[in-house]
Amino acid sequence: MVKKVIDNGKKGVRYNLVLNERAQLVLHSIIENYIQSAEPIGSRTLSKTIGITLSPATIRNIMSDLAELGYLIQNHTSAGRVPTDKAYRFYVNSLATPPSISEQIKEKISQVSNEQGSQVEAILAETVRMLAELTKFACVVSTPKASVSRLQRIELIKISEDRILVILVTKAGVVRDKIIFTNESHTQEFLNSVAEFLNDKFKDHSMQEIRKEIHQSMVDDRTRYHDLLAHAIRLGKKAFELNQPGEMLIDGQMNLLLDSHFHEQSSVRSLIDAFEQKSAIMKILDDSMKHKGVHIFIGIENDLKQLQDCSLITASYRNNQNVLGSIGVVGPTSMDYKRIISMVDYTAKILSKTITEQSYD
Amino acid sequence: MVKKVIDNGKKGVRYNLVLNERAQLVLHSIIENYIQSAEPIGSRTLSKTIGITLSPATIRNIMSDLAELGYLIQNHTSAGRVPTDKAYRFYVNSLATPPSISEQIKEKISQVSNEQGSQVEAILAETVRMLAELTKFACVVSTPKASVSRLQRIELIKISEDRILVILVTKAGVVRDKIIFTNESHTQEFLNSVAEFLNDKFKDHSMQEIRKEIHQSMVDDRTRYHDLLAHAIRLGKKAFELNQPGEMLIDGQMNLLLDSHFHEQSSVRSLIDAFEQKSAIMKILDDSMKHKGVHIFIGIENDLKQLQDCSLITASYRNNQNVLGSIGVVGPTSMDYKRIISMVDYTAKILSKTITEQSYD
DNA sequence: ATTAGCACTAACCCTCAATGAGTGCTAATT
DNA sequence: AATTAGCACTCATTGAGGGTTAGTGCTAAT
């Protein structure tokens, strides 16, 4: 039996074992080469670019072992080898997080939207566009979740006998509007009183809390005998009802089509579908909101089939109070992780800073 | 000299003359074939598919004449011929406008957004998405111009000592928000009075009118001695200042990349640029708002270089009162005009109907 | 444990010839 | 006079053959 490049010779368990240093170096080098060239890496090429002196034959042995361990695959005999998702996972885990970033890029990122008085959505749109341009991949950002952010103000505007326009302004600086229907007609003056009441009662409360409190008020007897209160609660219930499922802005989808790593038409086709559905990507963004720092989803780790040819790098952004949403880059599994991770990380930080400044607390 | 397929033999003026019937038939047939196949059409192919019996040789003669008149070009000797922009212009001019449309398609278009209480922007987004899916091309729609639509209500919300959130609701059902800065701090109560004043004074006036009226008030002496009025006018000026340059929603850009008529990478690249700039397409949409019915911009007729490989089919939509914006399809010059024109036409009509129902008059 | 050497593979590239769809022109036919 | 058949010619496309190249795995020598 051929000896393995692992420290322990036992066969049954070797897949869980750690690679020895030299094997790690080779794998690292293969990955970085492949990220650069987008072409299968052969032993001879590698022996030239790798730091230490190692003959092609030796490298071949190591590569063969790495292939057996699932880090590399060959598209056909006599072709170089290509990293697998497992290899990329190894690679990103071994990176210092977050990798460093050039001052030049930092500056470009910081430039976005330092103009005063921009709306949150505008800031997000600008940021995602900038990030797409910088990374040359597709970028996404989820808009602040209404449920976690807190009420700054509510307005009720009569627009017809049975329709009321509700405008919710959150502390995070997001303005949401929706139309609700009523059975009875109210005057604008009455709506103003209702709005004033709701503002007094619920300002600074989170949407979630508000929904809960309204629910409680509805079963409270006192409510029934107080006309304004009763109306306010009834309208408030509708107004604060699950608003918008949370949106997502996308930019730079086109970049993917021009990327050398994505030559095959088929994978692009399916990616387009993934973007159209939105929900799968949205879910990943939501997941990444739960934890701090940069998240990396590589190929097969994505639930959605259509996303299994690409990696997502995400990071959440926040204001003083809450995590609001997250921003991410979608690219080929063979993307330049160092570069992208650092950009996403830094962008999320700057975005958090900008949004915090714009928040209404 | 070879005889021309035109009724008049005079040389100097023949380029302005009308094609005889047979030449028209041939040209028509070439165009429809090319729209279908996306491949150069040869005389033999054509002699088979064309209705009347005509030998390839005869067709060759006619084609040669049509080429000389600028309706066809050859990419190289011994290749079939391809229609020019001039040919497409001839073709669409000869179509009955608007062409008929199948009940099935009609139904699909009508399905969009008959749910109650949708916001205008949501309706537009849904419509443009539907149209992109139906046509398999890229679609654009301009959001209602704020300047022409009339005020339903204005709200002023204090969000910090020097920032006020302005919310404008127009009769067309569009909600716009922006932040303005003040030198002095106002209480929310004061802002409410100001808003009430502005609502009383300007409700139902168009934004353009309002700006003019405010301008007049500012030079009016009475304004200076009336505190509330003075403040209202000052804040109102900022609030009604040229808001948003008019937005545009895009969907289905990806469709263009998968289209067989757009094989060449280069033209796709430049199209992407055109979409990123937005302004050029916006200008075309604006132009088309000025006239009724469907507009067709073919290739070279577009000012922007990047758009000269494609055609735009646009139609304006409106509510009871005003033309609000327009919706359009961007595809290759060799698109199926009949199909697309009818779809755009019908979609614009349905959109107008839906928006009118949602309007606040 | 490492490396040199060797046989073998498969993609890639070049050339060349055959094929086929197309043209323009001229002469014959209607 | 208009149409068509015939013919020579052009040029993109295809496929076969051959050389080149980058790669592999295996074995034996270091």
Side-chain angles (χ1 to χ4, degrees), chain B residues 109-128:
Chain B
I109 294 173
S110 305
Q111 267 172 20
V112 168
S113 184
N114 39 19
E115 45 180 307
Q116 284 282 50
S118 301
Q119 304 293 77
V120 171
E121 308 251 337
I123 294 171
L124 293 179
E126 247 184 276
T127 302
V128 77

Side-chain angles (χ1 to χ4, degrees), chain A residues 67-212:
Chain A
E68 203 178 334
L69 291 169
Y71 288 104
L72 301 174
I73 47 163
Q74 261 179 306
N75 287 323
H76 57 83
T77 7
S78 98
R81 286 186 168 91
V82 167
T84 61
D85 290 352
K86 188 176 176 184
Y88 292 122
R89 173 50 62 196
F90 157 81
Y91 179 72
V92 301
N93 287 349
S94 76
L95 291 176
T97 45
S100 64
I101 180 170
S102 84
E103 285 304 319
Q104 206 186 349
I105 300 293
K106 272 192 187 178
E107 199 164 315
K108 271 192 186 166
I109 294 173
S110 305
Q111 266 172 21
V112 167
S113 185
N114 38 18
E115 44 179 310
Q116 284 282 49
S118 299
Q119 304 293 76
V120 171
E121 308 251 337
I123 294 170
L124 293 179
E126 245 184 281
T127 302
V128 77
R129 159 148 296 197
M130 175 277 298
L131 194 56
E133 201 176 311
L134 223 52
T135 59
K136 300 290 178 205
F137 293 129
C139 294
V140 292
V141 64
S142 60
T143 57
K145 285 257 171 299
S147 59
V148 299
S149 66
R150 294 198 313 289
L151 183 69
Q152 164 73 17
R153 196 170 169 81
I154 180 172
E155 294 281 349
L156 302 175
I157 299 172
K158 176 177 181 172
I159 54 179
S160 76
E161 288 313 308
D162 64 344
R163 286 185 296 172
I164 298 172
L165 177 67
V166 179
I167 294 177
L168 294 173
V169 183
T170 72
K171 292 253 160 197
V174 180
V175 180
R176 288 264 179 263
D177 49 292
K178 66 183 223 178
I179 291 171
I180 61 175
F181 291 80
T182 56
N183 300 322
E184 44 194 331
S185 176
H186 305 287
T187 64
Q188 181 64 53
E189 285 69 37
F190 181 73
L191 292 181
N192 287 348
S193 325
V194 170
E196 219 41 66
F197 173 84
L198 292 172
N199 278 318
D200 282 349
K201 193 168 164 69
F202 295 128
K203 189 174 180 195
D204 296 333
H205 296 217
S206 84
M207 298 296 165
Q208 256 171 336
E209 283 166 23
I210 295 175
R211 275 198 288 275
K212 207 178 293 172

Side-chain angles (χ1 to χ4, degrees), chain A residues 178 180 198 211 214-215 218 231-242:
Chain A
K178 66 183 223 178
I180 61 175
L198 292 172
R211 275 198 288 275
I214 285 181
H215 189 73
M218 290 191 85
H231 276 98
I233 292 299
R234 204 162 334 127
L235 289 174
K237 180 174 190 305
K238 286 185 184 169
F240 291 110
E241 241 164 29
L242 209 68

Side-chain angles (χ1 to χ4, degrees), chain A residues 318-333:
Chain A
R318 51 176 301 139
N319 64 3
N320 276 339
Q321 309 288 335
N322 290 102
V323 176
L324 298 174
S326 48
I327 186 162
V329 173
V330 183
T333 49

